[in-house]
Amino acid sequence: MYQEPVILASASPRRRELMAWLGVPFRVEPSQIQEGPLQPPFEQAVRQLALHKTREVHSRVGGLVVGADTVVVVDQAVLGKPEDEEQAREYLQRLSGREHLVLTGLAVLSDYREHTETVTTQVRFLRLSEEEIARYVASGEPMDKAGAYGIQD
């Protein structure tokens, strides 16, 4: 049994909530990696990004490190975190009434082993009214989420 707390290589509030919900002792050590645009195949790219972040944190602090990265893909384009409210509105309008993919790359790294995988989820949005989009954007919720939304929302 691993005695030290797991290192979460992420500042994401949702990932912290998930670790707490799982009852896993952990501490947060965000990655210092600067994210750039991802290139296809996106399933591989998001997995590699998660591994890159996890390796960076492991090189600084050691231990058992867990990292993840999530992107939204629609029409072979990646929708990351919106830069401003206008971009959040554009993302939500683009997703409205359509199907898209949510890709999460996961990496787990210890001194002895590493594991990576990608989880792909197909999501279908109902048609959103301009009022619904405006209200959601005004809430501030979309601003730190890939594709301008959180599945929990």
Side-chain angles (χ1 to χ4, degrees), residues 16-30:
R16 285 194 305 260
E17 288 172 11
L18 179 60
M19 293 291 282
W21 180 79
L22 290 170
V24 175
F26 73 98
R27 70 182 173 101
V28 174
E29 187 68 44

Side-chain angles (χ1 to χ4, degrees), residues 23-128:
V24 175
F26 73 98
R27 70 182 173 101
V28 174
E29 187 68 44
S31 167
Q32 303 302 312
I33 297 298
Q34 295 298 314
E35 297 178 32
L38 298 181
Q39 301 300 316
F42 298 120
E43 293 84 355
Q44 179 181 340
V46 74
R47 184 173 58 247
Q48 285 301 114
L49 180 56
L51 180 59
H52 193 50
K53 288 178 176 183
T54 303
R55 284 179 175 164
E56 187 276 327
V57 170
H58 187 266
S59 73
R60 287 189 286 116
V61 301
L64 178 62
V65 182
V66 175
D69 205 73
T70 299
V71 296
V72 170
V73 178
V74 62
D75 300 328
Q76 285 299 304
V78 171
L79 305 183
K81 295 175 185 174
E83 294 179 10
D84 54 32
E85 288 185 357
E86 181 58 34
Q87 190 171 52
R89 210 172 352 271
E90 289 171 11
Y91 284 1
L92 293 168
Q93 288 168 338
R94 189 168 183 182
L95 296 171
S96 178
R98 302 194 55 206
E99 289 186 358
H100 62 277
L101 298 178
V102 177
L103 308 174
T104 298
L106 173 68
V108 180
L109 179 65
S110 73
D111 292 335
Y112 310 104
R113 194 167 172 203
E114 75 181 28
H115 174 79
T116 62
E117 65 182 78
T118 303
V119 176
T120 302
T121 305
Q122 189 169 346
V123 177
R124 176 179 221 148
F125 267 29
L126 296 175
R127 181 140 325 267
L128 301 171

